[in-house]
Amino acid sequence: MTGTTHIFNSQSITGKPKQQETLSEEELDEFLTSLPKEKGWRTPNLFLFQGFWCQPKEIRAIISIQNHFIAQDTDVILATIPKSGTTWLKALTFAIVNRNNFNVHHNHPLLTHNPHELVPFLEYKLYADSNRLPDLSLLPSPRIVATHVPFGALPDSIKTSNCKIIYICRNPFDTFVSIWHYLCKIRPESLGPLPIEEAFDLYCRGVTGYGPYWDHMLSYWRETAPNKVLFLKYEEMKVDTCNQLKILGEFLGFPFTEEEEKGVIEDISNLCSFQNMKDLEVNKKGKGAISVFENRDLFRKGEIGDWMNYFTPSMFERLSNVMDEKLEGSGITFTVS
Ligand code: PAP
């Protein structure tokens, strides 16, 4: 089988003009005046919308998603907070689901495409155009899409259908360092620098894209419908990729056979490994997989424990206390080194 029919062409997603406009510029501006706001990380402000912090354009896209996206039982939704392992999870899920269509050494789309091109975000790609709705019939089946919104803000049909949600959680220390680095890179010069102390204060107060992070993770952790949410951890994926891939394949309904366990899992693990992806031409030189940004900025260090190079003892104490307080009794734990 040739691979081409299985690749989602992100250039051709625009479908029919919206019958019902979500929010015009003026309506959005007026709506924003009713929301609490704080200093933004890469836009002047973040707004508290439906209980989480986000940027104006995201709010408009999320409203559109909530109004228009109809989930199918076969859909796979990848849910993450930014910088917790989205790119990796997209690559792994795509590779598992499509493993019989491509060869990891020759024609695999992940060798020439950034994972964000193959698994589109609902809010940054599919519903980002405020004038048009996407033509979702162009998505290969099963449809794999991603979102950063917390569980409560997902469209109802995702919650009520039999579609599957995969959530990846990363320790909040490394996630903070990763967000700070990335946003310093893409922050417009006109906003001036964002010192780490200031960013950290925002983060500890929950003011970060789609945060507070603790609310975000709890929203997926507490979803109890059977077989609805698979809750993965970045650190477990790092130390035991092959076993985690087995769990992922099983949950997706694409379990590995005994035969495949001998080599295919390792092939996928290697294909999607940090170093392999970072070294690919598309990820060294390409841009635009997410908005207008350089693909290479999505691959920084990919380690557990890099926070130790940035945190002072008082930063460690403050964030530990916040997490202890907010996650108390939940059962969520993290590996931090
Ligand atoms: P996004 O939310 O903007 O899509 P996301 O992919 O969630 O970003 O997070 C990027 C982090 O994942 C980076 O972490 P770092 O800043 O601590 O280095 C990036 O290096 C890491 N990452 C990207 N790809 C992989 C991979 N294949 N394996 C492990 N980590 C990865």
Side-chain angles (χ1 to χ4, degrees), residues 101-204:
N101 302 323
F102 306 110
N103 181 304
V104 292
H105 302 292
H106 305 301
N107 66 348
H108 204 288
L110 281 165
L111 297 172
T112 48
H113 295 70
N114 180 274
H116 292 282
E117 294 175 66
L118 302 171
V119 177
F121 271 117
L122 290 173
E123 56 272 16
Y124 298 114
K125 195 142 275 175
L126 297 176
Y127 290 85
D129 183 337
S130 57
N131 297 310
R132 290 188 167 260
L133 288 172
D135 180 357
L136 298 182
S137 69
L138 297 171
L139 290 177
S141 181
R143 306 188 307 185
I144 312 172
V145 296
T147 183
H148 282 324
V149 305
F151 187 86
L154 292 172
D156 287 341
S157 66
I158 292 185
K159 297 176 190 163
T160 54
S161 70
N162 287 327
C163 74
K164 293 175 193 288
I165 300 173
I166 300 162
Y167 187 79
I168 191 161
C169 190
R170 186 180 190 188
N171 84 62
F173 301 85
D174 284 327
T175 307
F176 165 73
V177 170
S178 186
I179 297 175
W180 180 68
H181 270 284
Y182 187 69
L183 293 183
C184 285
K185 285 230 160 82
I186 65 172
R187 185 175 161 89
E189 267 179 36
S190 58
L191 292 181
L194 180 62
I196 193 165
E197 298 78 12
E198 206 180 326
F200 186 70
D201 180 61
L202 290 168
Y203 189 78
C204 288

Side-chain angles (χ1 to χ4, degrees), residues 30-94:
E30 197 187 324
F31 179 53
L32 292 177
T33 62
S34 70
L35 301 179
K37 69 176 178 184
E38 281 271 5
K39 183 173 172 148
W41 292 59
R42 74 174 175 90
T43 49
N45 293 108
L46 280 176
F47 293 85
L48 188 62
F49 170 67
Q50 299 183 354
F52 58 99
W53 294 95
C54 49
Q55 301 167 23
K57 277 189 183 161
E58 294 164 350
I59 292 176
R60 185 161 50 194
I62 293 164
I63 291 173
S64 184
I65 295 162
Q66 291 173 343
N67 286 339
H68 299 285
F69 181 76
I70 307 291
Q72 297 174 357
D73 288 342
T74 49
D75 285 350
V76 177
I77 315 292
L78 306 184
T80 58
I81 203 149
K83 301 298 149 192
S84 60
T86 323
T87 312
W88 194 18
L89 182 62
K90 284 185 175 189
L92 292 170
T93 306
F94 181 90

Side-chain angles (χ1 to χ4, degrees), residues 82-88 116 148 170 178 234 272-274 277 290 298-302:
K83 301 298 149 192
S84 60
T86 323
T87 312
W88 194 18
H116 292 282
H148 282 324
R170 186 180 190 188
S178 186
Y234 180 95
C272 301
S273 72
F274 175 79
M277 303 224 86
I290 298 186
L298 292 162
F299 305 90
R300 194 182 60 93
K301 281 194 178 173

Side-chain angles (χ1 to χ4, degrees), residues 220-237:
Y220 286 94
W221 178 257
R222 290 192 168 140
E223 175 49 32
T224 50
N227 298 322
K228 187 70 183 167
V229 178
L230 176 65
F231 196 95
L232 298 172
K233 293 184 181 168
Y234 180 95
E235 294 76 20
E236 288 175 5
M237 295 286 284

